[in-house]
Amino acid sequence: MSGFTQALTRGMWREIPPFRLVLGLCPTLAVTKSADNGLGMGAAVIFVLVLSNFFISLLRKLIPAKVRIACFIVVAATLVVAVELLMQAFAYPLYQTLGIFVPLIVVNCIILGRAEAFAAKNGPLLSIADGLGMGVGFTCSLTVLGALREAFGAGTVFGARVMPEAYQPVAFMVEAPGAFVCLGLLLAAMNALGRDAGQPPAGCRACGACYEAAARREGGA
Amino acid sequence: MREIAAMLVVLSAICGASGWILASLREYAAPLIEEQELVHVKGPALRHAFGAFDNDPVRERRRVALPDGGTLLVFPARKGGRLSAVAFERFGEGYGGPLGVMVGFDLSRDALSGIGITTHRETPGVGSRVTSEGFLVQFQGHPFAKLGLKAAGGDIDAVSGATTSSTAASRAVAEALRLWGGIRPEIEKAFAGEGP
Amino acid sequence: MKDYLLLIVSAVFVNNILLAQYLGNCPFLGCSKELGVALGMGGAVVFVATLATAFTWLIQTFALAPFGLDYLQTIAFIVVIAALVQFVEMFLKKAMPPLYTSLGIYLPLITTNCAVLGIAIIAQRKEMDFVTAVIFSAAAAAGFLLALLLMAGIRERYEVTRIPKPLQGTAIGLVTAGFMSLAFFAFSGMI
């Protein structure tokens, strides 16, 4: 059972995305204007990631190696459309605020990255644990980043006031520049904290390369 | 050859399964989505178009037949169970595309209860100011006479610098008013006597 | 004509796809260490994004919308883009070897570049007509290329600069991007 726990907890700290595993930066930057947006986006990613890991792991023996990326994309896209429909039906305001980033979950490198690096090689149960761990880690990161930006940029967290009345909100934090700077500094803080300064997967040239890099790391571990 | 066949079969099977799953999910979710869209897109505009009301206009909406054969989605406002106003949406051609206006009619007198903007694609900060309280409040309780921009002989002030967008809103109101004369009896009949 | 000019300026500077709309950040940080790499990646994105937007526009208008299949937009677009990237790669290899050698290695990475899918979806959500959509996509991708080149220029200087250890790599890249984004904010006064 230790493999299961390991798969579950790996994504929550040791390889927590997007800090240790620099994947999926676009939604991280775009939707973290407030803590609840971050949480909502994270929930959508958990849903897609867990199910895509599960299905891909079930189908891994059937999928021919040459078309595996195409198959992964179709599975992920199906789940993303399902999330879009469900979100419209049950959480319309969230759908409105997340906007274009809901369909863009499909190109979030975390989804394809975990499919390639983990689900394609492991059983369904382990894959679910991995997806859940990574998803929860991602959600925590988004929520923390969102809470930070909301606290300094609007003086609230989850809509509740945390800063004293006299605090003058720094609009910089909720705008695009604040997103980049805030994430950069958090990343630096994580690096300073980590024992072996957790560098991003080597040579992360583009999202497509990320999962190759991740796969290599996985193979080595 | 066998390899290619396997690829094709697997890929098409996955695509087929995904299509089937999504189609059935869509079947299930479509009515819910329509409801949500009405609540969150038309809802705020309805609150603007009606003054005070204590019912749920979105839930009590009705389709009313138009004289030209089409139908119109009408939302009722009730106070203490009595029908006080109704609203429906009309469009005017704005700067960036169609501008949707929810026009509310006060049933107790010949006047508007108010208007609200549903959808627009006007320039942020310029044309989008037609959604501002200052512009919309001019329509609240406005009698049918002189209902138009000052430039067109009415007494509504256009949003400065956003004449096209203001004209679009006022056109939509005029269009609603034109329709109202013909269908008022129809609408009153549709909502008659039925309170919660 | 004036409208198109405004559209181009807006897409390249004011609503820069990278610095204002947060799309395509992974390659932005990954491919901006050398100018040559940045140019290759940016060029490939301009090429594919323009083609992809044209194709997805046609698919949306003639295949999805008439049958009420709008909800399949995401899945249709990503599959089209993936297929398109494959074809472009094969075509370039056969027909234009010099271009292939400069863009080739970046093409497979573009399928999962959210800027490409993002531009196609934005063009669709803003209900642009065909010509506008194509011009918009080319301009937005050019904005991506511009930001990528600027970033690469700055990061080449970082190679010879002493940076505190925790900030090295992606962290300093993000902070730099933040200040570039702040600079691009100034353009919003232009329109």
Side-chain angles (χ1 to χ4, degrees):
Chain A
M1 221 43 203
S2 72
F4 183 82
T5 334
Q6 207 194 3
L8 188 67
T9 52
R10 184 193 293 119
M12 294 189 193
W13 181 249
R14 205 159 59 81
E15 290 182 10
I16 185 169
F19 294 121
R20 283 288 150 77
L21 214 57
V22 186
L23 293 174
L25 284 180
C26 303
T28 311
L29 292 163
V31 305
T32 51
K33 275 191 179 143
S34 67
D36 43 0
N37 279 1
L39 193 63
M41 184 72 197
V45 170
I46 292 181
F47 177 88
V48 175
L49 190 53
V50 168
L51 287 180
S52 85
N53 262 7
F54 174 66
F55 285 121
I56 285 166
S57 154
L58 275 187
L59 298 171
R60 70 185 191 279
K61 299 227 170 75
L62 287 173
I63 295 176
K66 273 189 184 155
V67 289
R68 69 182 193 288
I69 300 289
C71 292
F72 296 166
I73 288 179
V74 172
V75 170
T78 308
L79 291 163
V80 168
V81 175
V83 166
E84 266 184 277
L85 288 171
L86 292 174
M87 208 184 256
Q88 282 181 71
F90 296 105
Y92 200 81
L94 184 67
Y95 178 76
Q96 280 176 313
T97 36
L98 296 185
I100 184 177
F101 289 93
V102 184
L104 285 182
I105 294 175
V106 67
V107 281
N108 187 328
C109 339
I110 293 184
I111 312 287
L112 280 182
R114 292 327 287 174
E116 173 84 0
F118 199 93
K121 297 179 194 128
N122 292 284
L125 203 61
L126 275 180
S127 299
I128 288 182
D130 178 73
L132 197 63
M134 285 286 164
V136 170
F138 188 64
T139 309
C140 290
S141 310
L142 286 193
T143 315
V144 167
L145 192 60
L148 261 178
R149 287 179 65 193
E150 198 187 337
F152 288 109
T156 57
V157 170
F158 284 111
R161 182 150 280 283
V162 290
M163 289 295 188
E165 275 309 317
Y167 177 74
Q168 189 72 38
V170 192
F172 172 76
M173 289 298 279
V174 284
E175 298 294 347
F180 287 106
V181 173
C182 199
L183 183 63
L185 292 181
L186 267 182
L187 206 64
M190 290 289 282
N191 283 346
L193 239 126
R195 291 159 318 224
D196 53 343
Q199 282 296 316
C204 176
R205 307 189 89 165
C207 293
C210 279
Y211 55 81
E212 280 163 36
R216 250 179 276 127
R217 272 164 68 98
E218 204 69 40
Chain B
M1 200 57 218
R2 270 202 57 196
E3 201 189 359
I4 294 177
M7 276 192 235
L8 283 178
V9 168
V10 171
L11 208 52
S12 358
I14 291 180
C15 288
S18 107
W20 179 76
I21 291 171
L22 288 177
S24 28
L25 189 65
R26 159 85 180 173
E27 194 107 318
Y28 159 75
L32 289 167
I33 292 173
E34 199 195 337
E35 184 88 24
Q36 288 274 311
E37 268 174 0
L38 287 173
V39 169
H40 292 284
V41 178
K42 314 280 189 231
L46 280 170
R47 274 193 291 284
H48 255 115
F50 299 137
F53 59 94
D54 51 20
N55 64 327
D56 182 350
V58 172
R59 179 162 303 157
E60 292 174 36
R61 68 185 187 274
R62 279 280 155 77
R63 284 206 169 273
V64 173
L66 287 177
D68 65 6
T71 61
L72 183 69
L73 200 56
V74 182
F75 302 89
R78 293 177 200 278
K79 248 182 283 180
R82 255 194 65 245
L83 192 64
S84 61
V86 296
F88 52 86
E89 191 181 15
R90 290 281 93 184
F91 294 90
E93 195 54 39
Y95 188 74
L99 178 97
V101 182
M102 186 65 77
V103 187
F105 290 90
D106 193 333
L107 290 173
S108 58
R109 58 208 176 100
D110 275 350
L112 296 187
S113 58
I115 68 167
I117 307 293
T118 47
T119 52
H120 74 88
R121 290 199 279 130
E122 306 305 290
T123 321
V126 188
S128 71
R129 280 182 297 154
V130 292
T131 59
S132 70
E133 199 65 35
F135 178 70
L136 296 179
V137 81
Q138 300 181 70
F139 290 89
Q140 242 164 52
H142 195 294
F144 291 165
K146 298 199 84 159
L147 191 56
L149 296 183
K150 280 195 172 138
D155 58 5
I156 304 282
D157 281 314
V159 177
S160 61
T163 320
T164 315
S165 311
S166 310
T167 311
S170 124
R171 286 239 175 89
V173 173
E175 155 82 8
L177 193 58
R178 194 183 57 74
L179 216 56
W180 175 243
I183 54 167
R184 175 168 184 173
E186 199 68 31
I187 291 179
E188 283 186 329
K189 206 165 74 201
F191 292 107
E194 180 214 359
Chain C
M1 205 51 226
K2 194 174 148 244
D3 285 353
Y4 288 137
L5 202 65
L6 211 62
L7 178 77
I8 293 173
V9 172
S10 148
V12 175
F13 295 108
V14 182
N15 291 316
N16 187 288
I17 192 112
L18 257 171
L19 298 171
Q21 312 220 33
Y22 319 93
L23 293 175
N25 275 296
C26 298
F28 179 53
L29 292 164
C31 288
S32 60
K33 293 211 175 96
E34 294 159 44
L35 267 175
V37 178
L39 194 63
M41 183 69 188
V45 168
V46 173
F47 191 66
V48 172
T50 314
L51 265 182
T53 308
F55 270 89
T56 50
W57 191 92
L58 292 173
I59 292 210
Q60 172 79 19
T61 316
F62 296 110
L64 295 180
F67 299 105
L69 293 174
D70 294 13
Y71 65 100
L72 290 179
Q73 193 189 56
T74 312
I75 192 166
F77 280 20
I78 188 70
V79 171
V80 166
I81 290 174
L84 190 71
V85 168
Q86 287 284 320
F87 278 120
V88 167
E89 199 184 350
M90 287 193 283
F91 176 76
L92 282 186
K93 207 173 186 173
K94 279 255 157 42
M96 293 178 238
L99 197 59
Y100 178 76
T101 39
S102 54
L103 298 187
I105 50 167
Y106 305 107
L107 282 173
L109 309 182
I110 282 185
T111 311
T112 48
N113 182 336
C114 45
V116 175
L117 181 61
I119 291 172
I121 295 180
I122 291 176
Q124 217 46 253
R125 291 211 168 170
K126 293 204 170 154
E127 294 170 33
M128 294 177 176
D129 59 55
F130 186 72
V131 179
T132 317
V134 171
I135 293 180
F136 165 78
S137 61
F144 177 86
L145 174 64
L146 176 72
L148 200 61
L149 285 180
L150 290 175
M151 184 71 165
I154 297 174
R155 285 183 88 169
E156 285 200 340
R157 297 293 296 261
Y158 282 162
E159 291 293 314
V160 292
T161 315
R162 281 175 56 198
I163 294 166
K165 193 154 185 289
L167 270 169
Q168 278 170 13
T170 315
I172 190 77
L174 278 166
V175 175
T176 313
F179 290 114
M180 280 174 66
S181 157
L182 199 59
F184 268 66
F185 245 52
F187 288 119
S188 59
M190 277 172 51
I191 289 190

